Amino acid sequence: MWTLSGFADEITADLQTQCEVLNSLGIDHIELRSAWDTNVLDLDDDRLDAAARILASHQIRMSSVGSPIGKIAITEDFEPHLARFERALHVARVLNAPYIRLFSFFIPKGEEPGRHRDEVLRRMAALAAAAKGHDVLLLHENEKDIYGDNPMRCLDIVESVGSPQLRLIWDPANFVQCGVRPFTDGYPLLRPYLDYLHVKDAVMATGAVVPAGEGDGELSETLRALQADGFDGFFSMEPHLAAAGAMGGFSGADLFTRATRTFTQMLDAQGVTYR
């Protein structure tokens, strides 16, 4: 069974409205990145409790904490960031999230990522160690301009850290924007560590983000392969159709709905059972 989720802050800032739109689309999970124009890790305890009540009232569960952990420069001080990761663990516990999304640090422009490999791995290992004993898995997302922006470096991170709590997100649009053919160049390498997918696509020539199946993200090939090998996990809508930036994106309710319908049509055509 494949399960749909989504970055519902792409719909609106108001969490109540986010949940109403997810309900209308038949989506019963959320990847919570922000609510009320506040990053999920910056919600105080009262707002966190309010979020839990709103999600429960709409029968929506968490698929992942859409945290920004790892979205700082590799040259920035890590210790305050590691302390912030404790908040991510707290949020996951309060909201019963099985996963926390994270990244592998921005590399200074023009510098060879390999120069920073040792520090990246030290930091990723520290995050994995901090998660030990918590009932949560960490998901590294491939992202432009970070160390783990291509399949080989994603593989390097997960295998070098070697933690059973560190797994991978597959974001085809981000791979395309880094000049990678996702399925052709990455799937055989990364499939053993792949737990979770972000649903967005992009055009190789321009980097423009488009609905699933309308770009060069090789979504059809990826979906067929996942279906064939028995994948059972989350597909999180992240359309980025109206705006996209380093810390997130926006679509609005109409474009979010369009992106979701486009993707579910792909699943229906392939005969995939999903919820």
Side-chain angles (χ1 to χ4, degrees):
M1 178 69 72
W2 295 5
T3 304
L4 297 182
S5 182
F7 288 89
D9 59 351
E10 292 220 6
I11 297 167
T12 182
D14 179 66
L15 184 59
Q16 177 81 19
T17 307
Q18 292 179 27
C19 291
E20 290 170 0
V21 174
L22 291 179
N23 284 163
S24 74
L25 292 170
I27 297 175
D28 62 5
H29 283 78
I30 188 171
E31 184 162 355
L32 188 59
R33 180 172 53 197
S34 70
W36 307 295
D37 286 322
T38 304
N39 184 272
V40 62
L41 302 192
D42 296 324
L43 296 173
D44 63 25
D45 288 345
D46 287 342
R47 275 288 175 102
L48 204 56
D49 289 343
R53 290 193 297 271
I54 290 170
L55 295 179
S57 72
H58 290 273
Q59 297 183 301
I60 291 174
R61 292 176 288 172
M62 292 279 287
S63 62
S64 179
V65 177
S67 90
I69 294 297
K71 274 200 171 185
I72 62 170
I74 193 63
T75 53
E76 290 183 55
D77 187 7
F78 178 57
E79 293 310 311
H81 204 60
L82 183 59
R84 194 178 191 209
F85 180 63
E86 294 295 332
R87 185 63 180 178
L89 292 169
H90 175 74
V91 170
R93 184 168 58 252
V94 170
L95 297 182
N96 296 311
Y99 295 106
I100 298 172
R101 176 189 70 160
L102 42 71
F103 303 86
S104 55
F105 306 96
F106 290 116
I107 303 301
K109 189 173 182 179
E111 294 192 12
E112 169 56 43
R115 290 182 54 193
H116 300 278
R117 176 179 183 270
D118 289 349
E119 179 61 14
V120 168
L121 295 180
R122 183 188 76 81
R123 293 181 177 199
M124 298 303 290
L127 293 169
K132 191 172 181 180
H134 294 265
D135 188 20
V136 70
L137 295 177
L138 310 182
L139 294 172
H140 173 268
E141 179 182 346
N142 57 288
E143 171 68 82
K144 299 186 298 296
D145 302 323
I146 64 171
Y147 179 81
D149 63 349
N150 69 26
M152 285 302 299
R153 286 194 288 269
C154 289
L155 185 68
D156 182 29
I157 290 167
V158 71
E159 292 195 338
S160 296
V161 172
S163 168
Q165 282 183 264
L166 179 60
R167 304 285 293 174
L168 296 177
I169 289 173
W170 180 271
D171 190 309
N174 290 350
F175 275 142
V176 169
Q177 291 175 337
C178 294
V180 172
R181 297 172 300 169
F183 182 80
T184 302
D185 299 337
Y187 188 86
L189 288 175
L190 303 183
R191 177 61 187 97
Y193 305 102
L194 180 61
D195 276 14
Y196 199 103
L197 284 85
H198 285 168
V199 182
K200 67 176 185 285
D201 206 343
V203 177
M204 184 76 74
T206 64
V209 178
V210 294
E214 297 182 12
D216 297 303
E218 300 183 317
L219 267 296
S220 294
E221 297 92 328
T222 303
L223 295 178
R224 284 195 296 269
L226 289 169
Q227 184 181 28
D229 70 14
F231 180 81
D232 180 14
F234 288 105
F235 291 78
S236 187
M237 300 303 305
E238 190 186 18
H240 280 20
L241 292 180
M247 301 307 291
F250 184 74
S251 298
D254 290 345
L255 289 175
F256 190 94
T257 297
R258 176 193 166 198
T260 301
R261 298 301 188 206
T262 299
F263 180 61
T264 57
Q265 286 168 9
M266 292 181 70
L267 299 182
D268 291 339
Q270 193 167 301
V272 172
T273 301
Y274 62 91
R275 62 176 186 180

